[in-house]
Amino acid sequence: MSYQVTIEPTGDVIAVEDGQTILQAALRQGVWLPFACGHGTCATCKVQVLDGEVEIGAASPFALMDVERDEGKVLACCATVQSDVTIEAEIDVDPDFAGHPVDDFTATVSAIVDLSPTIKGLHLKLDRPMAFQAGQYVNLELPGIDGSRAFSLANPPSKADEVELHIRLIEGGAATSFIHQQLKVGDTAKLSGPYGQFFVRDSQAGDLIFIAGGSGLSSPQSMILDLLARGDTRQITLFQGARNVAELYNHELFEHLAAEHANFTYVPALNQAAEDDNWKGFKGFVHDAAKAHFDGRFSGHKAYLCGPPPMIDAAITTLMQGRLFERDIFMERFFTAADGNADSTRSALFKRI
């Protein structure tokens, strides 16, 4: 049996099946609701129930306090419905969001590539094409591993039947250890997607800056390949940060793209370049490379950041000092279990950052 859930203020109406959460149903029908953790601990998906019967589910008492429960608030990632329901959510309707519905796919490993000493490129052939926006991510389920793991898509949307993921080995990480040490070509896995609100805002004017660190290169790679394939005429600059030459993966790809496209510039930066690397490029952190390249002035640009939280935070500070504002900066932080609660690192001063 299913019920209808009406979402205000957008007026979207979705069907929610028995046992399905409001968030699951919305995403699988191409309707965006804000969320982060997906399991009731961060409160990003908090909504107000205006009418109807809702079961709160396993919401953390810290994310959903008793007084909020009494007021009719629920977490969409945990809440299920027992009748037709109307909810009110804080939704910023983004004109650039395509709203591709989330779906489930069976994937077969077609290739595993050593990108760096710590990062592998995992290529998965899907049982059917997946429509997505460059910059979005998927949730991957692996045999024998509890739960799912989120990985950004590195391939452009034009290659929709085989996805590419960049996966860094995390010490003690069950899923990344399995991928790096046990997964083989021909093995199968389940994934769902696409998820996320990290994509290029084509409706917004301004040249584009991409700042990536580590395996955070995946989303910018997808975005840049898509932009260049579509003939985008904006100036595009990619700053790629790594510790040393061995970790600076796919640099040949971007050097080739820079030689082919007059509107694309590639600036790699190494923060621990060894003397024997014979490195003649920028030495230092990737945000410092961006500052040096633009002489500390970023106005007129839109910036897209992807990588570990310390890199993101340093880049935000540098960009804002160079006259970019919250409306100009978009990001995808790469968290691991060692980073703790993703929501706890967000700034109290800004809505998105």
Side-chain angles (χ1 to χ4, degrees), residues 7-344:
I7 303 169
E8 300 294 352
T10 62
D12 289 310
V13 178
I14 60 173
V16 182
E17 304 293 333
D18 279 339
Q20 189 177 39
T21 69
I22 295 172
L23 179 63
Q24 289 171 340
L27 295 178
R28 288 179 178 274
Q29 291 166 68
V31 175
W32 173 255
L33 287 176
F35 77 100
C37 74
H39 50 257
T41 62
C42 78
T44 303
C45 65
K46 191 178 298 178
V47 298
Q48 176 72 51
V49 178
L50 300 180
D51 63 61
E53 298 297 322
V54 177
E55 174 60 42
I56 289 174
S60 161
F62 301 102
L64 190 67
M65 296 182 291
D66 288 341
V67 64
E68 293 177 310
R69 298 171 190 236
D70 293 340
E71 292 170 350
K73 290 183 173 66
V74 299
L75 303 184
C77 71
C78 298
T80 56
V81 301
Q82 280 81 51
S83 70
D84 291 345
V85 169
T86 301
I87 62 172
E88 185 176 42
E90 290 189 19
I91 302 174
D92 292 328
V93 179
D94 193 320
D96 294 302
F97 180 52
H100 295 300
V102 171
D103 207 345
D104 298 313
F105 300 85
T106 299
T108 302
V109 178
S110 56
I112 302 174
V113 181
D114 291 328
L115 297 176
S116 84
T118 61
I119 299 171
K120 288 189 182 292
L122 177 61
H123 296 254
L124 299 166
K125 184 74 173 178
L126 304 182
D127 56 348
R128 63 192 187 283
M130 177 176 62
F132 68 95
Q133 286 180 268
Q136 291 189 294
Y137 68 90
V138 296
N139 281 335
L140 179 65
E141 298 179 21
L142 296 163
I145 306 295
D146 289 338
S148 62
R149 304 297 189 275
F151 296 107
S152 292
L153 294 156
N155 54 294
S158 58
K159 297 182 178 179
D161 62 342
E162 185 170 13
V163 301
E164 176 185 348
L165 311 176
H166 298 170
I167 300 174
R168 179 169 66 93
L169 179 63
I170 306 299
E171 186 177 354
T176 63
S177 296
F178 179 84
I179 291 167
H180 275 248
Q181 299 164 9
Q182 295 177 252
L183 195 65
K184 304 182 300 297
V185 171
D187 288 349
T188 60
K190 301 289 186 182
L191 64 81
S192 63
Y195 297 97
Q197 291 278 289
F198 189 55
F199 48 81
V200 174
R201 270 61 179 183
D202 287 331
S203 67
Q204 298 186 18
D207 292 331
L208 306 175
I209 295 171
F210 293 91
I211 301 178
S215 60
L217 181 66
S218 51
S219 288
Q221 176 176 304
S222 175
M223 292 165 152
I224 290 166
L225 290 174
D226 183 48
L227 287 164
L228 295 177
R230 292 192 283 116
D232 197 289
T233 59
R234 286 171 287 186
Q235 291 296 316
I236 303 166
T237 306
L238 168 64
F239 298 93
Q240 181 187 4
R243 289 192 297 274
N244 50 48
V245 168
E247 292 291 345
L248 188 73
Y249 73 92
N250 280 5
H251 59 93
E252 298 96 342
L253 167 65
F254 295 107
E255 289 168 352
H256 176 72
L257 291 173
E260 273 196 338
H261 299 273
N263 66 322
F264 176 61
T265 301
Y266 172 56
V267 182
L270 303 183
N271 62 59
Q272 294 180 19
E275 289 184 11
D276 57 1
D277 282 341
N278 195 27
W279 177 248
K280 294 180 172 58
F282 187 89
K283 292 183 179 180
F285 291 104
V286 68
H287 62 278
D288 291 324
K291 183 177 181 179
H293 183 83
F294 285 102
D295 197 23
R297 295 189 290 267
F298 303 103
S299 59
H301 290 81
K302 300 296 179 184
Y304 295 84
L305 321 177
C306 195
M311 186 220 81
I312 295 285
D313 294 340
I316 290 170
T317 298
T318 298
L319 293 168
M320 287 189 158
Q321 288 173 345
R323 303 300 294 168
L324 285 194
F325 303 94
E326 183 186 7
R327 65 176 181 269
D328 304 314
I329 302 172
F330 306 89
M331 73 203 67
E332 190 82 287
R333 285 182 170 93
F334 273 34
F335 286 94
T336 69
D339 295 311
N341 186 346
D343 196 61
S344 67

